[in-house]
Amino acid sequence: MPRAPKRQRYMLEEDLQAQMATAVDEEDTSSSSSTCSSSFPGSSSSTSSSCYPLLSSSPEEDFGYDELLSPSQSPLTASSSHTATTSTPCSQSDVSSQGEEGPSTSQSLTGSKSLSRSEIDEKVNDLVEFLLLKYRMKELTTEAEMLNSVIKNYQEHFPVIFSEASECMQLVFGIDLKEVDPSSHSYVLVTTLGLTYDGMLSEVQGMPKVGLLVLILSIIFMEGNCASEEVVWEALSVMGVCAGREHFIYGDPRKLITHDWVQEEYLVYRQVPNSDPAHYEFLWGPRAHNETSKMSLLEFLAKVNGSDPRAFPVWYEEALRDEEEKAQ
């Protein structure tokens, strides 16, 4: 696949650029040989909830894992010409459906120059790369810096671009943008749900993997606090994360999930009692219980989907019991 013309980058490390370019090339070559499904019937990418629809609008008993995630897409693109298959996962969302308020610079798009979907995707990708660098360097950023360094001639579209980039940072990488100074519109980047281990190899290598951990904790919670290994891998296959297949963000998924996060005590991975042949299951580990809660997770998932935790009474009651037990 020919490489796209080089675009302005923001001093991202060469290894990140190489991983991104490789991911674009491998997406086409590996999709036909992969044994896991890249999508499930009924998945959609037309709304913001389809980017990470961990909760459906239906009751818990009607919930299905085909609603967990939209079809596999690379979180970052190396070329705007590949947006059909490698666009930012949230780049095709309908921003008007999001409940999040954007930054203060929110000029009306009425009368402004319209942008194509691919042009918006490219600026979203640029901003995501910029924010990843800020996270790695542990630096604050400001609205003015984002406008001057990344958005440039597209400032009237900043609310849309910022909203989609923020959603991608949160859902793919597990990184939240929190405004720390409304007067200067400065933002700090922190891990989602208070989880303290981002899975990066070092401060300058790899990419944060909290988004995948949040997804797995969600699956376990929705499965009644214990999820079989088969259910977990089936759900992860929707986003192209498969056992035995290297992922350009998450590396070796099996090692990450069954070893690294088990060693860090975020997950418990154990054999199902009396299973022959052996089957395995996942539970929350003690560190997950200490750093976050079922209620925090449910509120996060409901917010992502523009819903309310009480719309899911079974999970809400379970989260309330968890809160009461912690209080005691």
Side-chain angles (χ1 to χ4, degrees), residues 109-277:
L109 299 184
T110 303
S112 64
K113 178 184 176 181
S114 62
L115 292 180
S116 67
R117 182 69 256 176
S118 63
E119 289 175 308
I120 293 177
D121 288 349
E122 184 167 348
K123 299 311 294 184
V124 169
N125 295 335
D126 285 345
L127 185 53
V128 167
E129 293 175 29
F130 174 83
L131 294 172
L132 283 172
L133 176 60
K134 287 295 182 179
Y135 175 76
R136 285 179 164 182
M137 302 302 293
K138 294 181 169 58
E139 294 178 355
L140 296 176
T141 189
T142 65
E143 182 177 324
E145 183 181 30
M146 288 183 277
L147 287 169
N148 294 330
S149 299
V150 184
I151 307 302
K152 297 182 178 179
N153 297 328
Y154 300 91
Q155 296 195 12
E156 68 269 28
H157 299 280
F158 180 56
V160 171
I161 296 168
F162 179 86
S163 178
E164 294 193 14
S166 299
E167 185 181 33
C168 186
M169 288 292 294
Q170 183 181 61
L171 305 183
V172 177
F173 300 103
I175 303 299
D176 291 338
L177 276 82
K178 295 188 178 294
E179 189 173 42
V180 293
D181 187 351
S183 62
S184 63
H185 307 297
S186 59
Y187 296 84
V188 63
L189 292 101
V190 299
T191 49
T192 298
L193 297 178
L195 301 171
T196 58
Y197 177 72
D198 59 18
M200 292 175 59
L201 300 176
S202 69
E203 292 183 358
V204 296
Q205 289 185 327
M207 285 184 264
K209 302 171 177 63
V210 184
L212 184 63
L213 177 58
V214 171
L215 172 58
I216 295 173
L217 293 175
S218 303
I219 295 169
I220 295 170
F221 172 51
M222 292 185 290
E223 283 291 309
N225 302 316
C226 181
S228 70
E229 185 173 22
E230 292 80 7
V231 166
V232 170
W233 286 115
E234 181 182 10
L236 296 187
S237 71
V238 179
M239 57 185 291
V241 177
C242 311
R245 176 180 172 186
E246 191 79 7
H247 193 279
F248 91 107
I249 294 177
Y250 308 124
D252 181 346
R254 178 172 290 281
K255 178 180 180 296
L256 178 65
I257 296 169
T258 64
H259 179 268
D260 296 353
W261 283 336
V262 171
Q263 191 173 51
E264 293 293 331
E265 299 188 334
Y266 281 114
L267 298 175
V268 172
Y269 178 63
R270 69 185 188 188
Q271 183 176 341
V272 177
N274 303 319
S275 60
D276 184 19

